[in-house]
Amino acid sequence: MERSNGTLMVEFILLGFSDIPNFQRLLFGIFLIIYMSILLGNGLLIVITKTNPTLQTPMYFFLGNFSFLEICYTSVILPRMLMDLWTQKGNIPFLSCAVQTCFFFILGVAECLLLAVMAYDRYVAICKPLYYPLIMNHKVCVQLVVASWITGIPVLVGLTYEIFSLNFCASNKLNHIFCDAPPLLEVACGNTYGKELSIHVAALLFITIPFLLILTSYVKIITTILKLPSTSGKAKAFSTCSSHLMVVGLFYGSGSIVYLRPKSNQSAKSDKVFSLVYTTVTPVFNPLIYSLRNKDVIDALKKLLPK
């Protein structure tokens, strides 16, 4: 990519938390603990959903895959951010920035789609319990997971190419903690309206539509639950869905604020905060939410971990 003066753009500078230089090492320690917690917590969920005989059901199959996706998703962002905090330098080569953006897009979309698949699983389990083993057989579950991973790849690779084919002549400094579309468009020169429109269309397809599918599933789930005669039956049905709803709320809430709201001059700092929510906070709380609110997972952890 060339600047207007003909010099080659070879790297970007991620500003990250450079506005608070005295807290760089403290933030390094905090985010290192967060990353280790993500690896440990989600890793434990993967192990117990694969090895415990009582958890060999579609719901826990999807949960194990979701935990693996969380590890991959945060590993695209946090190791690089930790290095920048430790060295107090945010230099990232042009190609590395493009690769990070592409994988961030692909894994983020996979997470949205997998959350929709998990909502569909709960819908079938509660609204069509007699047909559940037939509909959600192992082959279908594998196909749904694979589809979640690969559906967005062609579109998102193309979108990444479009973004990085822009001329970056304003500056090579990105006021963000990782390479993402909004800060990249801010430093691009020329007319970026078409690229911004492409990003909003992709967000509509891969964020809004899965969210509407989740919403539709839970409207039907809640309607079915309210018709149940026993209070204990209602409580049990709600408990199987509440964990998933909490994760959906954290992830979609913060992600939608960053990608679907109008641009403003004051959005950069808040974008960093909301980006931290869906890249670090949600993956940290995912194992806690599913462990503390799920008796089967707690029992499996007790069997796995030494007394």
Side-chain angles (χ1 to χ4, degrees):
M1 295 303 98
E2 294 184 355
R3 294 173 181 259
S4 55
N5 63 6
T7 59
L8 187 67
M9 173 72 78
V10 295
E11 69 175 11
F12 290 103
I13 299 173
L14 293 166
L15 296 181
F17 301 100
S18 58
D19 54 334
I20 46 173
N22 295 332
F23 293 93
Q24 298 278 303
R25 294 300 166 88
L26 174 63
L27 288 172
F28 173 84
I30 292 170
F31 285 113
L32 180 62
I33 292 170
I34 288 173
Y35 187 48
M36 292 296 103
S37 300
I38 290 169
L39 296 179
L40 179 62
N42 287 284
L44 276 174
L45 274 183
I46 293 169
V47 171
I48 63 172
T49 55
K50 294 296 181 186
T51 59
N52 194 286
T54 61
L55 302 183
Q56 302 307 304
T57 63
M59 182 175 79
Y60 296 110
F61 173 75
F62 293 133
L63 178 58
N65 280 277
F66 185 73
S67 294
F68 176 68
L69 182 56
E70 293 275 53
I71 289 174
C72 296
Y73 184 63
T74 53
S75 295
V76 171
I77 307 299
L78 284 181
R80 179 85 208 187
M81 190 172 75
L82 287 169
M83 185 180 75
D84 291 344
L85 286 169
W86 183 256
T87 61
Q88 298 190 27
K89 296 178 182 178
N91 302 61
I92 180 169
F94 183 89
L95 183 58
S96 298
C97 189
V99 170
Q100 186 184 57
T101 302
C102 189
F103 275 98
F104 174 71
F105 283 169
I106 290 170
L107 294 170
V109 164
E111 191 151 342
C112 291
L113 295 174
L114 191 54
L115 285 169
V117 167
M118 293 168 78
Y120 174 70
D121 170 69
R122 292 299 82 209
Y123 159 73
V124 177
I126 292 172
C127 300
K128 299 182 179 182
L130 296 178
Y131 297 97
Y132 182 69
L134 183 64
I135 296 173
M136 301 304 292
N137 60 68
H138 184 70
K139 182 181 178 181
V140 170
C141 292
V142 171
Q143 289 173 342
L144 287 171
V145 168
V146 172
S148 299
W149 277 84
I150 68 172
T151 296
I153 290 178
V155 175
L156 298 167
V157 170
L159 183 62
T160 305
Y161 175 79
E162 280 191 22
I163 292 170
F164 283 87
S165 65
L166 289 166
N167 290 320
F168 298 98
C169 55
S171 171
N172 69 336
K173 294 180 179 180
L174 305 180
N175 191 13
H176 207 50
I177 54 176
F178 58 89
C179 289
D180 197 7
L184 284 163
L185 291 175
E186 284 180 12
V187 299
C189 58
N191 184 8
T192 62
Y193 175 77
K195 304 297 187 289
E196 289 180 32
L197 184 62
S198 298
I199 291 168
H200 282 289
V201 170
L204 181 68
L205 284 173
F206 298 121
I207 296 177
T208 308
I209 291 178
F211 178 74
L212 291 175
L213 292 173
I214 292 170
L215 193 63
T216 303
S217 296
Y218 275 104
V219 167
K220 293 182 178 180
I221 287 170
I222 292 169
T223 304
T224 302
I225 289 174
L226 292 176
K227 292 178 182 177
L228 293 175
S230 67
T231 305
S232 60
K234 291 179 182 178
K236 186 178 180 181
F238 271 121
S239 68
T240 63
C241 303
S242 59
S243 299
H244 182 250
L245 274 173
M246 291 172 70
V247 173
V248 167
L250 278 172
F251 181 78
Y252 270 98
S254 54
S256 299
I257 289 170
V258 172
Y259 289 99
L260 299 180
R261 68 174 178 173
K263 279 178 65 178
S264 71
N265 294 329
Q266 305 299 320
S267 63
K269 287 186 178 180
S270 56
D271 280 355
K272 291 182 190 179
V273 175
F274 287 117
S275 297
L276 285 173
V277 173
Y278 65 81
T279 56
T280 61
V281 177
T282 304
V284 165
F285 280 100
N286 173 52
L288 291 174
I289 289 170
Y290 276 99
S291 299
L292 297 177
R293 300 182 63 85
N294 192 306
K295 186 177 180 296
D296 293 333
V297 173
I298 292 172
D299 291 342
L301 281 171
K302 286 178 179 177
K303 292 178 182 178
L304 179 67
L305 298 175
K307 290 184 179 180

